[in-house]
Amino acid sequence: MERFLSQCANYIYQKHSNELNELCLVFPNRRSGAFFTQYMQDVIKRPVVGPKTTTVNELISSYSDLHKGEKLQLISILYDVFRKHTKTTETFDEFYFWGEILLADFNDIDRYLVNAKDVFTNISDLKEIESIFDYLTPEQKKALEQFWGSMAVVDKKGFQEKYTFIWDKLFPVYVDFKKELQKDDLAFPGMVDRTVVENLDSAELEFKYKKYYIIGLNALNTCEKKFFTHLVNLGKAEFLWDFDKSYLEDTQNEAGYFLRTNLVEFPPPDDFELNTEIFSQRKNIKLVAVSSVYGQSQQISNFLTETRLDYKEKFDNTAVVLADESLLFSAMGAIPENIGTVNVTMGYSVRNSVIHGFLMLLVTLLKNKRKEGSGFVAYHRYVTDVLNHQLLGDSESEKSKAFVAELKRTNSITVDLSKIDFAPLYKQIFVLPEKVEEYSHYFLKVLGMLHQQFKTSEVNNAMLLEIIYSIYQAVEKLGIVVKGVIDSQKREINEAVYFRLFSQYLGQVSVAFEGEPLSGLQVMGILETRCLDFENLIVLGLNENKWPRKFTAPSFIPFNIRKGFGLPGIDEQDAMYGYYFYRLIQRAKNITATYSVVKEGIGTGELSRYGYQLQYDSIHKPEMKNLDFVFANDPVQSIEIKSSKDVVQKLLENNSEEHPLSPSSINTYLHCTLKFYFRYVVNLPEPDEVKEEIDGVVFGNIFHDTLEELYKPFVGKVVNKTDLENMLKDRVRLENEITKQIAIHYLKKKKPIKGPVKLQGKTLLIFENAITYLKQLLRVDLAIAPFSVISLEEKYKRWIELELNGAKTNLCIGGKIDRVDKVDGQLRVLDYKTGNVESLGFSKIEDLFDAEIKKPKKEILQALIYSWGLSENISNEAIQPAIYSLRSLFSESFSPNVKLNKNDVLFEDLKEDFEINLKQLVTEIYSERNTFKQTEHIEKCQYCPYSGICRRF
């Protein structure tokens, strides 16, 4: 197979073997120039001075004295000009995004030599199109009519007037902007090109080379065309195009869009022989569907195995082309070690690096910092994300872990950043700058300390150090630009603009891999393939949104206006990528392309249009395959743990008057026996975490302890209506008591509480809810007053004799009863429930002890266990179990009494049956023949602290 650049090298050498140093060769990129040089060396037989190689952009800009300005600098100047002409009240920060769009439009206007005045003219009468734009073609005039016709039917006149006003001002803005730039010898890229081509006839411009060979280009803008035309008129230009008749002569194929014009305007030399029918030769093409984005790389080893007879360790033999450049690392990992030399030509984007990820966490921290006193505080998640990052793993990790653990223990929602000073690196990270102009210096200090840390590490961190260094240079450059704009133009830059620039500067940084560019397997992106030919090709990521790329920059100039004036749009972008694809594969022998069928994010999971074109519109009829991954995914086995003498012994040892079997542990067993095992046998702690909101358990503790403090003076006394009315009136006392309990249970402050307690955010909402519920409960009590308070939060326990494992055993059962009171002579066991209680009624005792029920009545069982425990200590008095469900307190028909078949329960009436069922359940819990297993009702597992063990949620 004869490569295009090899043919060019042979042709040029044959014609200019004695004058190579008088030639200038213009390529699409430097990579193609390097390949050409190698081919030229292969044909040169004696020492010579070689030709000059360059790119088209470098060639044109070399004839200009203007310097390309940094984007921030250009937009800052543009803002002043725009504000002068439009009298806009927008701040620079608000204008910045629009400034980027406007700058891109001006760049296109200059590169395509469009008359800016015509583009920005406000057309009030469609008939004027004929006279004003006489030079336009009929197709261009039609496109303009379509646009202004649509503008004419806009109903909102205000919008149209504002739009046309701004549009009318854009030409003066354009003119003055360029004048301001010229004062400082600055320019944007299009302005540089336009300045050069508009002065081509100047005697000052010297074209010193005898011949300029334009090799392998495709899409030419108007500036390039005019520049090349000038070279043709001087008799100094020759054009070597690369194409195939299959797409050139097919007007429906976008790949030949530009070349159909280029070949007419700039025909190649008659004696340059190019095989233009090579694509018609049958090729070995496979299109492989993969059910994973990164799994596509696994096809590389299959491809290399299939093409092993054609594989040679030459730089132009085999290439891995990444249509999706994020696959670089997975592709590198999938290349077999025995393949020999591998050269990566595209560079590794630092966007995919761990350093970039860490800096983005710092960006989030800076965006969300809040001034408090003399320092900054931040939301705990932003702080712990930084502390837990892998880059800090070797730096005071124990102190960092201890600090995070303390945040969880004290439930700190916001973190005082000044407290993070247990190492120089940590102190540098969390001493945040106040001003935007200081941000670059802050990042540089952090990067410098990271570089020093990894440089002295024993682990080989060469790649990491190179990434840090490359990012450091980009941030340093950004800092200089920002400082220059602030100092010279007195411009204020806000965070939004800075971080937008920060992202753009880092997005342009890539780290080159060490290697020999002209040997071995080549790994490259789409743009690196221009002009290059390979015998074996594997393309990864041939999806519709990856090749062709679907991104088009926003523009003030509507599509039809752009089309009318010959400015590039989505159609031109598609044509470029179409040419890249067909030109790349036209000489290849073995081609495999993979595409992901995963629909994720902006990914469509669809094969690129070029794949379908090969399938349905070519002679090649590619083989369609699927890359299957075999997963031995065994079903999750249910967890069952048999009891034993050791388990029972441990439970018995844990049972005592100080630690009785509680109603909550019994309910846990009925909820899920395995959960009971984890909590009460193995004593697995629940994972500690910062609670951003007060959860049900914490809210319940706050509410219970608040009521205890309010009623504590009345234990053993009668509570009268006057007492309750006074409580309700004393809002300060109620608020102080709830605040104190929040400090104890949520903020984890120790008694006695010192200093004021500050509530903020969602905590304030919970505080207001607690006040509302508390007042309503006092009103409910007011309705039944007077009543006597017998006890508050007092432990009641009772011993029970059981036949356990063939022996008589006594067990203690009991718990803390929220309140025991007497209303109208009736003794009540009263339980407060802050959670949802669906019903206070039940139909039979057995249902309360049935673990198979989907929604057990655990609140009723708990109240009855309390009643059973109290009955041991109270004689000759009936006990009425009652539940204050906070969510039912506001009901007009509210009743706290537990009901059996819709009748109020007196515990004495069901005591015997209840005790029988209780003994049976407790005997089961302590039996050596028992089995602890997962509940059958998976929905119960959703909020279980041990769900990670069971792998159900």
Side-chain angles (χ1 to χ4, degrees):
M1 176 187 75
E2 184 73 12
R3 275 74 171 169
F4 168 67
L5 289 179
S6 177
Q7 290 177 279
C8 293
N10 281 310
Y11 174 77
I12 292 172
Y13 183 73
Q14 288 173 7
K15 297 198 70 171
H16 306 281
S17 59
N18 296 318
E19 52 183 8
L20 290 177
N21 61 316
E22 298 182 30
L23 304 181
C24 180
L25 312 181
V26 183
F27 296 95
N29 57 13
R30 293 181 179 180
R31 175 65 49 185
S32 51
F35 272 53
F36 175 90
T37 300
Q38 180 62 42
Y39 291 127
M40 179 66 79
Q41 289 175 358
D42 292 341
V43 297
I44 291 176
K45 306 301 181 184
R46 57 187 175 81
V48 295
V49 177
K52 165 74 173 178
T53 61
T54 186
T55 66
V56 62
N57 291 331
E58 291 171 347
L59 176 63
I60 295 177
S61 61
S62 68
Y63 288 95
S64 174
D65 294 327
L66 296 175
H67 306 289
K68 294 179 183 178
E70 292 290 333
K71 183 182 288 186
L72 176 63
Q73 186 181 20
L74 296 175
I75 294 177
S76 180
I77 296 171
L78 177 59
Y79 172 66
D80 288 334
V81 175
F82 186 82
R83 188 171 55 174
K84 182 180 79 173
H85 285 280
T86 63
K87 311 301 180 186
T88 181
T89 57
E90 277 187 311
T91 64
F92 176 70
D93 309 320
E94 294 169 329
F95 172 79
Y96 187 85
F97 173 74
W98 306 111
E100 285 185 307
I101 300 174
L102 204 53
L103 188 62
D105 285 340
F106 289 170
N107 194 61
D108 282 346
I109 285 171
D110 275 10
R111 274 192 163 154
Y112 285 83
L113 296 179
V114 173
N115 187 316
K117 185 176 182 180
D118 289 350
V119 171
F120 295 128
T121 295
N122 182 17
I123 304 173
S124 58
D125 188 344
L126 291 177
K127 293 181 181 179
E128 294 181 13
I129 292 178
E130 294 294 332
S131 58
I132 295 177
F133 301 116
D134 288 337
Y135 63 91
L136 298 179
T137 65
E139 292 78 11
Q140 291 173 331
K141 290 179 183 179
K142 185 176 180 182
L144 289 173
E145 287 174 356
Q146 288 176 354
F147 169 69
W148 291 110
S150 65
M151 283 292 293
V153 298
V154 174
D155 294 328
K156 298 179 181 178
K157 292 184 178 180
F159 168 78
Q160 184 173 351
E161 289 173 2
K162 182 178 180 181
Y163 185 91
T164 52
F165 170 76
I166 296 294
W167 185 274
D168 194 42
K169 298 295 181 183
L170 290 183
F171 177 65
V173 169
Y174 166 83
V175 173
D176 277 6
F177 176 50
K178 293 181 70 171
K179 286 181 180 178
E180 289 297 319
L181 292 180
Q182 286 176 331
K183 289 178 183 179
D184 297 320
D185 290 331
L186 291 175
F188 48 88
M191 180 178 168
V192 171
D193 293 354
R194 185 167 198 157
T195 303
V196 171
V197 299
E198 287 181 345
N199 293 281
L200 283 173
D201 295 328
S202 170
E204 296 178 3
L205 296 184
E206 180 186 356
F207 297 91
K208 62 181 182 179
Y209 292 99
K210 184 176 182 179
K211 280 290 182 183
Y212 290 82
Y213 275 92
I214 319 303
I215 301 173
L217 269 61
N218 176 39
L220 303 178
N221 60 47
T222 311
C223 277
E224 291 166 347
K225 287 184 178 181
K226 188 169 182 180
F227 186 87
F228 293 152
T229 299
H230 183 75
L231 291 176
V232 170
N233 293 338
L234 293 175
K236 290 192 171 189
E238 296 287 358
F239 298 86
L240 305 181
W241 307 104
D242 188 16
F243 59 91
D244 193 277
K245 286 184 178 179
S246 60
Y247 53 83
L248 182 72
E249 296 177 353
D250 180 3
T251 57
Q252 299 300 311
N253 193 319
E254 56 201 359
Y257 176 80
F258 292 107
L259 280 168
R260 285 189 277 273
T261 302
N262 294 342
L263 287 168
V264 174
E265 294 183 6
F266 306 106
D270 293 334
D271 58 346
F272 179 62
E273 296 180 1
L274 183 73
N275 186 349
T276 59
E277 297 181 357
I278 195 168
F279 187 73
S280 59
Q281 300 173 11
R282 290 294 295 269
K283 301 177 183 299
N284 175 26
I285 303 178
K286 293 180 181 177
L287 301 177
V288 184
V290 185
S291 57
S292 164
V293 176
Y294 294 101
Q296 296 177 80
S297 302
Q298 300 307 309
Q299 183 63 23
I300 293 176
S301 59
N302 296 341
F303 175 75
L304 293 173
T305 300
E306 292 169 359
T307 59
R308 62 187 180 278
L309 297 179
D310 295 314
Y311 181 79
K312 297 181 180 64
E313 200 170 328
K314 289 182 60 181
F315 69 95
D316 59 356
N317 178 260
T318 304
V320 178
V321 178
L322 305 181
D324 182 352
E325 295 186 0
S326 69
L327 300 178
L328 175 59
F329 263 29
S330 61
M332 293 295 292
I335 297 173
E337 292 183 4
N338 62 358
I339 204 63
T341 306
V342 177
N343 181 58
V344 182
T345 67
M346 58 191 290
Y348 174 62
S349 173
V350 300
R351 278 186 176 275
N352 301 319
S353 71
V354 66
I355 302 294
H356 184 272
F358 181 71
L359 292 182
M360 290 302 104
L361 292 180
L362 298 188
V363 168
T364 303
L365 183 66
L366 285 167
K367 285 180 178 179
N368 293 280
K369 68 182 187 298
R370 189 174 77 249
K371 190 76 174 177
E372 196 168 283
S374 60
F376 289 109
V377 298
Y379 179 56
H380 72 96
R381 286 270 175 88
Y382 304 135
V383 175
T384 54
D385 283 349
V386 174
L387 292 174
N388 293 328
H389 196 274
Q390 66 194 80
L391 283 179
L392 303 182
D394 296 332
S395 176
E396 300 292 348
S397 59
E398 293 304 318
K399 291 181 181 179
S400 177
K401 290 176 183 176
F403 184 83
V404 173
E406 181 65 13
L407 291 182
K408 293 178 180 179
R409 191 192 69 77
T410 57
N411 218 65
S412 302
I413 297 177
T414 57
V415 182
D416 182 354
L417 301 184
S418 65
K419 294 181 179 179
I420 311 175
D421 61 353
F422 36 80
L425 177 58
Y426 287 90
K427 188 170 183 178
Q428 178 59 50
I429 289 171
F430 290 101
V431 175
L432 302 183
E434 296 193 22
K435 299 178 181 179
V436 172
E437 54 262 40
E438 298 170 349
Y439 282 6
S440 293
H441 180 70
Y442 164 77
F443 285 118
L444 292 176
K445 291 285 286 182
V446 173
L447 287 167
M449 295 185 77
L450 285 173
H451 190 276
Q452 185 62 32
Q453 175 180 300
F454 290 114
K455 188 176 181 180
T456 56
S457 172
E458 295 179 359
V459 182
N460 182 9
N461 292 305
M463 184 68 176
L464 201 59
L465 290 171
E466 187 64 32
I467 291 172
I468 294 174
Y469 178 70
S470 299
I471 293 177
Y472 188 97
Q473 289 181 308
V475 176
E476 188 176 41
K477 183 179 178 182
L478 171 61
I480 293 170
V481 172
V482 170
K483 188 176 186 304
V485 170
I486 292 174
D487 292 345
S488 63
Q489 300 177 32
K490 310 303 178 187
R491 181 80 64 218
E492 287 189 10
I493 308 296
N494 79 346
E495 277 191 347
V497 171
Y498 179 86
F499 288 130
R500 185 177 179 87
L501 288 165
F502 186 79
S503 180
Q504 290 173 349
Y505 272 70
L506 263 61
Q508 297 167 3
V509 179
S510 62
V511 178
F513 287 85
E514 291 186 5
E516 174 52 54
L518 296 174
S519 66
L521 176 69
Q522 302 289 314
V523 180
M524 55 182 57
I526 295 173
L527 296 182
E528 283 80 21
T529 66
R530 287 175 290 179
C531 285
L532 310 185
D533 295 300
F534 300 93
E535 186 169 345
N536 307 307
L537 278 171
I538 177 164
V539 180
L540 303 183
L542 191 65
N543 282 84
E544 179 59 20
N545 60 321
K546 299 296 182 183
W547 200 345
R549 304 279 170 84
K550 276 302 178 186
F551 174 78
T552 54
S555 172
F556 276 119
I557 306 173
F559 172 76
N560 286 328
I561 294 287
R562 295 184 72 88
K563 194 172 183 66
F565 282 93
L567 294 173
I570 187 67
D571 292 340
E572 286 72 20
Q573 179 173 288
D574 286 351
M576 282 194 297
Y577 279 95
Y579 175 73
Y580 296 155
F581 179 79
Y582 279 97
R583 199 222 62 79
L584 176 64
I585 69 170
Q586 66 190 21
R587 292 182 180 85
K589 178 180 178 182
N590 302 302
I591 305 154
T592 291
T594 70
Y595 62 99
S596 169
V597 296
V598 177
K599 296 181 179 180
E600 187 175 72
I602 62 171
T604 62
E606 182 182 1
L607 174 65
S608 167
R609 69 188 70 173
Y610 308 130
Y612 287 118
Q613 288 170 8
L614 290 176
Q615 188 177 6
Y616 299 112
D617 196 27
S618 75
I619 67 168
H620 301 294
K621 306 304 176 189
E623 180 184 353
M624 308 299 291
K625 294 183 65 178
N626 289 290
L627 181 60
D628 297 322
F629 298 98
V630 179
F631 295 101
N633 193 14
D634 298 327
V636 177
Q637 297 293 324
S638 61
I639 301 174
E640 293 186 359
I641 301 173
K642 293 188 179 296
S643 188
S644 64
K645 285 184 180 181
D646 291 339
V647 169
V648 173
Q649 184 63 30
K650 189 170 184 178
L651 286 172
L652 290 173
E653 287 174 356
N654 290 337
N655 186 264
S656 64
E657 281 199 37
E658 289 74 26
H659 299 96
L661 182 66
S662 65
S664 60
S665 61
I666 291 173
N667 271 322
T668 299
Y669 183 85
L670 292 171
H671 182 85
C672 174
T673 61
L674 186 63
K675 183 178 181 180
F676 177 90
Y677 176 84
F678 288 146
R679 180 173 295 175
Y680 297 103
V681 179
V682 185
N683 295 322
L684 282 180
E686 295 186 16
D688 201 4
E689 61 182 14
V690 175
K691 295 180 173 66
E692 297 174 27
E693 302 177 16
I694 296 177
D695 63 14
V697 174
V698 176
F699 183 80
N701 292 335
I702 292 169
F703 198 82
H704 280 69
D705 286 4
T706 300
L707 281 170
E708 182 183 4
E709 291 298 318
L710 292 176
Y711 278 116
K712 191 180 289 182
F714 299 97
V715 175
K717 299 177 183 179
V718 175
V719 182
N720 295 308
K721 289 184 181 292
T722 305
D723 299 319
L724 292 165
E725 288 169 350
N726 290 334
M727 279 191 208
L728 284 165
K729 290 177 183 177
D730 195 353
R731 180 177 177 89
V732 174
R733 185 189 175 198
L734 298 181
E735 290 181 349
N736 287 343
E737 196 56 56
I738 290 177
T739 302
K740 183 178 78 172
Q741 298 304 329
I742 289 175
I744 294 169
H745 293 286
Y746 182 62
L747 302 177
K748 308 292 178 67
K749 293 186 179 291
K750 296 179 180 179
K751 298 179 185 178
I753 298 171
K754 299 176 182 179
V757 177
K758 185 178 180 181
L759 303 181
Q760 55 189 356
K762 294 179 180 178
T763 312
L764 284 172
L765 299 177
I766 299 298
F767 169 81
E768 290 297 332
N769 280 341
I771 287 287
T772 303
Y773 282 127
L774 183 59
K775 285 187 172 183
Q776 184 61 21
L777 188 144
L778 293 175
R779 292 188 191 103
V780 169
D781 278 352
L782 181 63
I784 62 172
F787 57 89
S788 302
V789 177
I790 308 300
S791 67
L792 293 173
E793 301 294 336
E794 188 171 325
K795 289 183 178 179
Y796 289 90
K797 43 193 170 288
R798 182 173 176 179
W799 290 91
I800 185 172
E801 186 179 75
L802 300 173
E803 181 77 26
L804 284 181
N805 307 310
K808 297 284 186 181
T809 306
N810 288 321
L811 287 172
C812 188
I813 301 175
K816 189 186 292 183
I817 302 176
D818 293 339
R819 183 168 115 193
V820 178
D821 62 16
K822 187 175 285 190
V823 182
D824 294 332
Q826 178 63 60
L827 190 66
R828 296 193 310 173
V829 167
L830 185 58
D831 199 19
Y832 306 134
K833 290 298 178 189
T834 53
N836 185 39
V837 181
E838 292 192 0
S839 171
L840 296 182
F842 65 103
S843 56
K844 56 184 180 178
I845 291 290
E846 290 75 17
D847 290 345
L848 301 178
F849 296 90
D850 188 354
E852 304 301 322
I853 292 178
K854 189 174 183 180
K855 293 183 179 180
K857 297 182 182 294
K858 56 183 181 180
E859 299 85 7
I860 296 176
L861 177 60
Q862 190 164 346
L864 291 178
I865 293 175
Y866 288 146
S867 299
W868 174 78
L870 181 62
S871 65
E872 179 79 359
N873 302 282
I874 303 294
S875 59
N876 301 321
E877 277 197 76
I879 300 171
Q880 185 177 57
I883 297 173
Y884 271 15
S885 171
L886 266 59
R887 300 189 185 186
S888 304
L889 288 177
F890 294 89
S891 173
E892 293 182 2
S893 58
F894 172 73
S895 171
N897 299 334
V898 174
K899 298 180 183 297
L900 174 60
N901 295 321
K902 299 183 180 180
N903 297 315
D904 290 350
V905 167
L906 292 177
F907 183 71
E908 291 299 316
D909 296 339
L910 47 78
K911 179 179 179 180
E912 188 176 339
D913 285 345
F914 181 83
E915 192 167 299
I916 291 171
N917 282 275
L918 181 62
K919 284 184 176 182
Q920 288 176 350
L921 179 63
V922 176
T923 301
E924 178 185 315
I925 294 173
Y926 285 82
S927 172
E928 293 177 6
R929 295 186 295 275
N930 190 19
T931 300
F932 301 99
K933 54 188 178 182
Q934 296 161 300
T935 177
E936 294 181 0
H937 305 294
I938 297 179
E939 59 275 7
K940 291 181 180 181
C941 306
Q942 188 170 0
Y943 301 107
C944 176
Y946 311 112
S947 59
I949 299 174
C950 297
R951 294 183 291 169
R952 283 184 164 181
F953 278 93

